[in-house]
Amino acid sequence: MHPSSSPSSTPSSSTPPGPSSSRRAVTVGAISFLAVLVLIVGGTLGVRAAIGGSDDPSPSPSAGSSDGGGSQSPSASASVEPERCWNSPDESKRTSQNSGSTLRGGGLEFTAPDGFDQRQTSTPLPFSEDTQMALATVERNWYSTITVGKLRWQDGVEYPGAEVASGRLMDCLLSNSGVWGGTSQRTLEHRSTTKVTIDGMEGFRTTGDLMFGQSDLEKVTGEKITMIVVDTPEGPSFFASEAAIDIDEHVKAAQEAEDSLAGVG
């Protein structure tokens, strides 16, 4: 990602004592589809940290996930207009506390891998709050990132479920032009959605490889992206990673973080 400002190298949350819970992440189910999505909207994916706000991209069909427009709940006001990529007003507000290298957000936590020692609570992802991001520098202002947080669907609009939500997070990040500056002719390859179970909690995982046709970057030709949404006792929560596809240690680190994903104990 291409952040608008440099992330802090120190944790943004206090470090309470006590052991962290066990970590198990088991992916189950079959791949629901593979698709190639040509992205027309301009933008950038490595981690754009400290984004003050994301664009409101025009709708584009998601590959392999149902429309998450979200029907209004019975108690919702008829005047509520569903937004495709709604930004929570409390996106950067923290209610969770990290414990050393265990980073927490919503009902999930993961162990920050070696090299991902920078921290930030701002994220370009919509529908999110109580977020914690770990970053590793790739080059200049480009970062690989791993994020955890609470999913907050648009106020007054019915939550569509984890499967739709994971696909929507992917779509909104890809179409956010504030994140992808410096790249063009982007295509999303090998997109798939699978069912997952994290510590007995069910959810869905959407993945894909975003490749850059043109770029001003020297070390990056694409990004490996993962979006996981899980239904937890604390409410829907998410884990997101994007790693420079050319940096093997970042790709492996993102997988290690996913493998350590667990419910907050």
Side-chain angles (χ1 to χ4, degrees):
M1 272 188 194
H2 177 46
S4 57
S5 64
S6 299
S8 170
S9 60
T10 58
S12 58
S13 302
S14 61
T15 304
S20 60
S21 63
S22 61
R23 295 163 179 78
R24 311 185 291 279
V26 182
T27 301
V28 297
I31 292 177
S32 60
F33 56 85
L34 295 175
V36 176
L37 174 65
V38 178
L39 303 178
I40 299 176
V41 181
T44 302
L45 184 62
V47 168
R48 182 180 180 102
I51 284 186
S54 60
D55 293 348
D56 181 12
S58 59
S60 62
S62 63
S65 64
S66 59
D67 179 15
S71 60
Q72 295 179 15
S73 61
S75 60
S77 170
S79 62
V80 173
E81 183 70 24
E83 297 179 26
R84 180 171 174 269
C85 299
W86 181 76
N87 290 303
S88 167
D90 299 321
E91 171 262 321
S92 61
K93 180 180 179 181
R94 286 283 288 163
T95 56
S96 297
Q97 289 186 319
N98 301 327
S99 177
S101 61
T102 298
L103 306 186
R104 295 169 175 161
L108 296 173
E109 65 181 21
F110 71 95
T111 301
D114 292 342
F116 282 73
D117 55 356
Q118 301 176 75
R119 303 286 182 267
Q120 187 166 294
T121 58
S122 180
T123 171
L125 292 174
F127 306 110
S128 63
E129 60 185 18
D130 188 27
T131 57
Q132 178 65 78
M133 179 185 289
L135 308 92
T137 303
V138 178
E139 61 176 273
R140 299 196 302 277
N141 292 327
W142 198 271
Y143 299 82
S144 291
T145 65
I146 306 170
T147 308
V148 70
K150 184 175 181 179
L151 194 68
R152 175 180 172 181
W153 214 248
Q154 182 179 354
D155 295 339
V157 177
E158 184 179 359
Y159 174 59
E163 182 174 11
V164 169
S166 67
R168 183 74 71 82
L169 287 177
M170 173 76 83
D171 293 341
C172 289
L173 182 61
L174 297 177
S175 59
N176 185 339
S177 61
V179 177
W180 304 109
T183 69
S184 61
Q185 299 179 15
R186 296 178 300 279
T187 58
L188 184 66
E189 302 177 355
H190 311 123
R191 176 166 178 159
S192 68
T193 297
T194 57
K195 193 173 182 179
V196 299
T197 301
I198 308 295
D199 276 357
M201 303 176 295
E202 296 185 350
F204 283 86
R205 176 180 187 263
T206 298
T207 61
D209 296 337
L210 183 66
M211 306 307 298
F212 307 144
Q214 291 189 351
S215 171
D216 60 4
L217 300 169
E218 298 177 359
K219 300 179 181 179
V220 185
T221 61
E223 299 288 329
K224 186 170 287 292
I225 309 169
T226 296
M227 295 289 178
I228 297 176
V229 175
V230 180
D231 294 321
T232 78
E234 288 74 18
S237 301
F238 72 91
F239 169 92
S241 69
E242 68 78 23
I245 207 166
D246 314 88
I247 311 298
D248 290 343
E249 56 265 37
H250 286 188
V251 174
K252 292 178 180 178
Q255 184 61 57
E256 290 174 3
E258 182 179 336
D259 291 343
S260 75
L261 189 61
V264 173

